[in-house]
mmCIF file of all heavy atoms in Angstrom:
data_model
loop_
_atom_site.group_PDB
_atom_site.id
_atom_site.type_symbol
_atom_site.label_atom_id
_atom_site.label_comp_id
_atom_site.label_asym_id
_atom_site.label_seq_id
_atom_site.Cartn_x
_atom_site.Cartn_y
_atom_site.Cartn_z
ATOM 1 N N LEU K 114 148.948 58.628 -116.781
ATOM 2 C CA LEU K 114 148.464 58.133 -118.044
ATOM 3 C C LEU K 114 149.681 57.746 -118.894
ATOM 4 O O LEU K 114 149.671 56.650 -119.537
ATOM 5 C CB LEU K 114 147.722 59.299 -118.780
ATOM 6 C CG LEU K 114 147.043 58.952 -120.153
ATOM 7 C CD1 LEU K 114 145.853 58.115 -119.936
ATOM 8 C CD2 LEU K 114 146.686 60.172 -120.883
ATOM 9 N N GLY K 115 150.717 58.490 -118.855
ATOM 10 C CA GLY K 115 151.965 58.221 -119.619
ATOM 11 C C GLY K 115 152.532 56.933 -119.157
ATOM 12 O O GLY K 115 152.881 56.058 -120.021
ATOM 13 N N ARG K 116 152.664 56.799 -117.888
ATOM 14 C CA ARG K 116 153.229 55.567 -117.269
ATOM 15 C C ARG K 116 152.448 54.349 -117.719
ATOM 16 O O ARG K 116 152.911 53.265 -118.167
ATOM 17 C CB ARG K 116 153.281 55.574 -115.865
ATOM 18 C CG ARG K 116 154.454 56.151 -115.124
ATOM 19 C CD ARG K 116 154.259 56.258 -113.781
ATOM 20 N NE ARG K 116 154.930 57.425 -113.248
ATOM 21 C CZ ARG K 116 156.258 57.448 -113.002
ATOM 22 N NH1 ARG K 116 156.973 56.427 -113.186
ATOM 23 N NH2 ARG K 116 156.782 58.673 -112.545
ATOM 24 N N TRP K 117 151.109 54.476 -117.698
ATOM 25 C CA TRP K 117 150.185 53.468 -118.009
ATOM 26 C C TRP K 117 150.387 53.036 -119.524
ATOM 27 O O TRP K 117 150.571 51.838 -119.837
ATOM 28 C CB TRP K 117 148.775 53.798 -117.818
ATOM 29 C CG TRP K 117 147.774 52.781 -118.097
ATOM 30 C CD1 TRP K 117 147.462 51.661 -117.564
ATOM 31 C CD2 TRP K 117 147.024 52.746 -119.435
ATOM 32 N NE1 TRP K 117 146.566 50.902 -118.227
ATOM 33 C CE2 TRP K 117 146.247 51.502 -119.370
ATOM 34 C CE3 TRP K 117 146.948 53.584 -120.540
ATOM 35 C CZ2 TRP K 117 145.423 51.184 -120.445
ATOM 36 C CZ3 TRP K 117 146.093 53.225 -121.579
ATOM 37 C CH2 TRP K 117 145.350 52.005 -121.475
ATOM 38 N N ALA K 118 150.446 54.013 -120.398
ATOM 39 C CA ALA K 118 150.579 53.710 -121.846
ATOM 40 C C ALA K 118 151.914 53.046 -122.034
ATOM 41 O O ALA K 118 151.971 52.049 -122.790
ATOM 42 C CB ALA K 118 150.506 55.059 -122.604
ATOM 43 N N TRP K 119 152.969 53.567 -121.384
ATOM 44 C CA TRP K 119 154.328 53.045 -121.619
ATOM 45 C C TRP K 119 154.379 51.595 -121.116
ATOM 46 O O TRP K 119 154.877 50.697 -121.769
ATOM 47 C CB TRP K 119 155.339 53.911 -120.841
ATOM 48 C CG TRP K 119 156.684 53.394 -120.942
ATOM 49 C CD1 TRP K 119 157.492 53.069 -119.877
ATOM 50 C CD2 TRP K 119 157.543 53.153 -122.065
ATOM 51 N NE1 TRP K 119 158.683 52.646 -120.274
ATOM 52 C CE2 TRP K 119 158.794 52.708 -121.632
ATOM 53 C CE3 TRP K 119 157.362 53.343 -123.466
ATOM 54 C CZ2 TRP K 119 159.816 52.451 -122.439
ATOM 55 C CZ3 TRP K 119 158.458 53.002 -124.302
ATOM 56 C CH2 TRP K 119 159.629 52.587 -123.816
ATOM 57 N N SER K 120 153.848 51.326 -120.007
ATOM 58 C CA SER K 120 153.839 49.956 -119.452
ATOM 59 C C SER K 120 153.082 48.982 -120.252
ATOM 60 O O SER K 120 153.377 47.835 -120.443
ATOM 61 C CB SER K 120 153.547 49.883 -117.977
ATOM 62 O OG SER K 120 152.231 50.026 -117.744
ATOM 63 N N SER K 121 151.928 49.514 -120.743
ATOM 64 C CA SER K 121 151.073 48.680 -121.665
ATOM 65 C C SER K 121 151.794 48.291 -122.870
ATOM 66 O O SER K 121 151.751 47.165 -123.347
ATOM 67 C CB SER K 121 149.762 49.327 -121.993
ATOM 68 O OG SER K 121 149.063 49.761 -120.849
ATOM 69 N N ALA K 122 152.517 49.259 -123.470
ATOM 70 C CA ALA K 122 153.199 49.110 -124.763
ATOM 71 C C ALA K 122 154.338 48.004 -124.465
ATOM 72 O O ALA K 122 154.454 46.988 -125.259
ATOM 73 C CB ALA K 122 153.743 50.343 -125.220
ATOM 74 N N ARG K 123 154.945 48.204 -123.300
ATOM 75 C CA ARG K 123 156.106 47.265 -123.031
ATOM 76 C C ARG K 123 155.590 45.845 -122.825
ATOM 77 O O ARG K 123 156.212 44.893 -123.182
ATOM 78 C CB ARG K 123 156.892 47.726 -121.826
ATOM 79 C CG ARG K 123 157.900 48.849 -122.181
ATOM 80 C CD ARG K 123 159.006 48.789 -121.253
ATOM 81 N NE ARG K 123 158.563 48.526 -119.852
ATOM 82 C CZ ARG K 123 159.261 48.804 -118.787
ATOM 83 N NH1 ARG K 123 160.402 49.312 -118.886
ATOM 84 N NH2 ARG K 123 158.722 48.560 -117.627
ATOM 85 N N ASP K 124 154.358 45.877 -122.139
ATOM 86 C CA ASP K 124 153.766 44.505 -121.850
ATOM 87 C C ASP K 124 153.465 43.845 -123.138
ATOM 88 O O ASP K 124 153.640 42.584 -123.262
ATOM 89 C CB ASP K 124 152.472 44.734 -121.023
ATOM 90 C CG ASP K 124 152.368 43.868 -119.848
ATOM 91 O OD1 ASP K 124 153.419 43.468 -119.324
ATOM 92 O OD2 ASP K 124 151.182 43.461 -119.496
ATOM 93 N N ALA K 125 152.920 44.617 -124.116
ATOM 94 C CA ALA K 125 152.613 43.955 -125.418
ATOM 95 C C ALA K 125 153.850 43.448 -126.178
ATOM 96 O O ALA K 125 153.737 42.301 -126.603
ATOM 97 C CB ALA K 125 151.845 45.050 -126.251
ATOM 98 N N VAL K 126 154.912 44.221 -126.100
ATOM 99 C CA VAL K 126 156.070 43.782 -126.727
ATOM 100 C C VAL K 126 156.598 42.596 -125.992
ATOM 101 O O VAL K 126 156.983 41.527 -126.686
ATOM 102 C CB VAL K 126 157.183 44.933 -126.663
ATOM 103 C CG1 VAL K 126 158.524 44.421 -127.116
ATOM 104 C CG2 VAL K 126 156.807 46.127 -127.526
ATOM 105 N N ARG K 127 156.598 42.523 -124.651
ATOM 106 C CA ARG K 127 157.092 41.360 -123.968
ATOM 107 C C ARG K 127 156.191 40.167 -124.298
ATOM 108 O O ARG K 127 156.679 38.979 -124.402
ATOM 109 C CB ARG K 127 157.043 41.652 -122.422
ATOM 110 C CG ARG K 127 158.357 42.317 -122.019
ATOM 111 C CD ARG K 127 158.564 42.170 -120.557
ATOM 112 N NE ARG K 127 157.434 42.744 -119.777
ATOM 113 C CZ ARG K 127 157.576 43.815 -118.998
ATOM 114 N NH1 ARG K 127 158.692 44.467 -119.022
ATOM 115 N NH2 ARG K 127 156.538 44.281 -118.423
ATOM 116 N N LEU K 128 154.921 40.339 -124.396
ATOM 117 C CA LEU K 128 153.997 39.194 -124.703
ATOM 118 C C LEU K 128 154.383 38.583 -126.104
ATOM 119 O O LEU K 128 154.433 37.315 -126.239
ATOM 120 C CB LEU K 128 152.529 39.711 -124.797
ATOM 121 C CG LEU K 128 151.537 38.552 -124.814
ATOM 122 C CD1 LEU K 128 151.613 37.430 -123.785
ATOM 123 C CD2 LEU K 128 150.102 39.204 -124.821
ATOM 124 N N VAL K 129 154.704 39.449 -126.985
ATOM 125 C CA VAL K 129 155.082 39.023 -128.365
ATOM 126 C C VAL K 129 156.403 38.175 -128.266
ATOM 127 O O VAL K 129 156.589 37.116 -128.829
ATOM 128 C CB VAL K 129 155.115 40.120 -129.420
ATOM 129 C CG1 VAL K 129 155.731 39.639 -130.664
ATOM 130 C CG2 VAL K 129 153.730 40.781 -129.635
ATOM 131 N N THR K 130 157.317 38.847 -127.468
ATOM 132 C CA THR K 130 158.603 38.115 -127.275
ATOM 133 C C THR K 130 158.437 36.794 -126.665
ATOM 134 O O THR K 130 159.099 35.717 -127.101
ATOM 135 C CB THR K 130 159.482 38.991 -126.305
ATOM 136 O OG1 THR K 130 159.425 40.353 -126.654
ATOM 137 C CG2 THR K 130 160.967 38.482 -126.398
ATOM 138 N N PHE K 131 157.503 36.747 -125.716
ATOM 139 C CA PHE K 131 157.199 35.503 -125.011
ATOM 140 C C PHE K 131 156.746 34.401 -125.980
ATOM 141 O O PHE K 131 157.197 33.236 -125.936
ATOM 142 C CB PHE K 131 156.257 35.742 -123.929
ATOM 143 C CG PHE K 131 155.838 34.556 -123.171
ATOM 144 C CD1 PHE K 131 156.810 33.925 -122.266
ATOM 145 C CD2 PHE K 131 154.588 34.003 -123.183
ATOM 146 C CE1 PHE K 131 156.444 32.882 -121.479
ATOM 147 C CE2 PHE K 131 154.278 32.905 -122.407
ATOM 148 C CZ PHE K 131 155.134 32.313 -121.588
#
Side-chain angles (χ1 to χ4, degrees):
Chain K
L114 186 72
R116 270 171 216 281
W117 176 79
W119 175 240
S120 75
S121 305
R123 278 207 321 198
D124 227 32
V126 171
R127 275 201 298 251
L128 185 57
V129 174
T130 317
F131 181 68

